[in-house]
Amino acid sequence: MGKNFDTFFDKLKRVGVNTDKTIDRFGGLDELYVKFLVEFSNTERFGEIYSAIETGDSAKAEMCAHKLKGVLGNLGMDELFAEAELVMKDLRSGNAAQAEQRLRTMQPKVIEIQQAIKETPHD
């Protein structure tokens, strides 16, 4: 790992990110993983899904939720990934209200992880 990555990854572990498994999935390329984490931290993840649910665009809501689920899984946010799978099931079964409730529960944790990424030195 890079000189300052130990502290960075330790902080992410404390907020629920499975960095060890994910670094392995990135082929040990911790710098590449950090690049994707920084991109994740700078991207709003929920507005488009909420908008699609609000307007009744179930196809778009599913597409956006699927994208969120993939990002969470690829970056090692295992608990959030599992919750996003439930959001997908809710949307597919037509239970948009339950999906939105799950998303609103997930959002603070995502923001916490994004803040941890932004606030911790990683270069």
Side-chain angles (χ1 to χ4, degrees):
M1 277 190 236
K3 185 175 181 182
N4 292 325
F5 289 156
D6 290 338
T7 302
F8 179 64
F9 291 142
D10 286 344
K11 177 142 186 196
L12 292 181
K13 287 176 191 174
R14 287 193 297 274
V15 294
V17 180
N18 187 341
T19 58
D20 294 334
K21 177 187 83 174
T22 308
I23 292 167
D24 286 344
R25 187 172 43 251
F26 273 76
L29 300 172
D30 51 0
E31 290 149 353
L32 181 61
Y33 179 35
V34 169
K35 176 184 172 190
F36 281 100
L37 286 166
V38 170
E39 182 179 325
F40 171 81
S41 74
N42 291 317
T43 306
E44 195 284 320
R45 298 284 167 180
F46 292 87
E48 194 172 17
I49 301 172
Y50 292 144
S51 178
I53 290 172
E54 185 179 304
T55 61
D57 188 342
S58 59
K60 185 172 183 177
E62 278 188 48
M63 180 192 69
C64 294
H66 188 269
K67 182 178 174 182
L68 174 65
K69 181 183 79 145
V71 169
L72 295 171
N74 286 332
L75 295 180
M77 299 166 199
D78 299 340
E79 289 178 23
L80 290 167
F81 172 79
E83 196 65 23
E85 285 186 313
L86 296 175
V87 169
M88 291 295 302
K89 287 180 183 177
D90 291 336
L91 290 170
R92 287 182 178 142
S93 68
N95 194 345
Q98 178 65 36
E100 184 174 359
Q101 183 178 352
R102 286 186 200 280
L103 288 164
R104 294 207 183 275
T105 300
M106 293 169 60
Q107 190 171 9
K109 185 65 176 180
V110 168
I111 291 169
E112 178 186 15
I113 292 169
Q114 288 175 318
Q115 285 303 114
I117 294 166
K118 290 177 182 178
E119 294 171 356
T120 309
H122 48 75
D123 44 15

